[in-house]
Amino acid sequence: MGEDRVKVRVVQGPMAGSEFTFGEHDTLIVGRDPKCPINLPKDPCVSRHHLILEVCPPEVRLRDLGSRN
């Protein structure tokens, strides 16, 4: 039995072509804030803390943080 891994690939926008590979549980915040692991500083449609990406291979969850954008 192989090790579970999840690969997240960005297909559009300023980070298009970026890939993130996860082999264990991890939680990342996506937003404009410079401290966000996935940072989109120049996107006016994204809030400072826009969503949470939670990975627990083989599952992935996106949770909207209720921003106005």
Side-chain angles (χ1 to χ4, degrees):
M1 180 178 204
E3 185 177 319
D4 285 334
R5 292 197 174 275
V6 170
K7 184 182 285 189
V8 176
R9 182 177 301 139
V10 181
V11 296
Q12 287 185 300
M15 291 186 70
S18 299
E19 291 185 354
F20 303 88
T21 303
F22 303 91
E24 58 187 36
H25 182 265
D26 203 352
T27 302
L28 304 171
I29 297 176
V30 178
R32 286 192 329 245
D33 190 296
K35 295 179 184 174
C36 291
I38 300 178
N39 179 259
L40 303 167
K42 297 181 182 179
D43 191 333
C45 296
V46 176
S47 296
R48 283 184 317 111
H49 301 115
H50 198 81
L51 62 89
I52 292 177
L53 175 69
E54 182 178 6
V55 180
C56 190
E59 297 179 12
V60 177
R61 290 193 176 114
L62 291 176
R63 186 171 39 159
D64 185 354
L65 293 174
S67 66
R68 293 181 185 172
N69 295 339

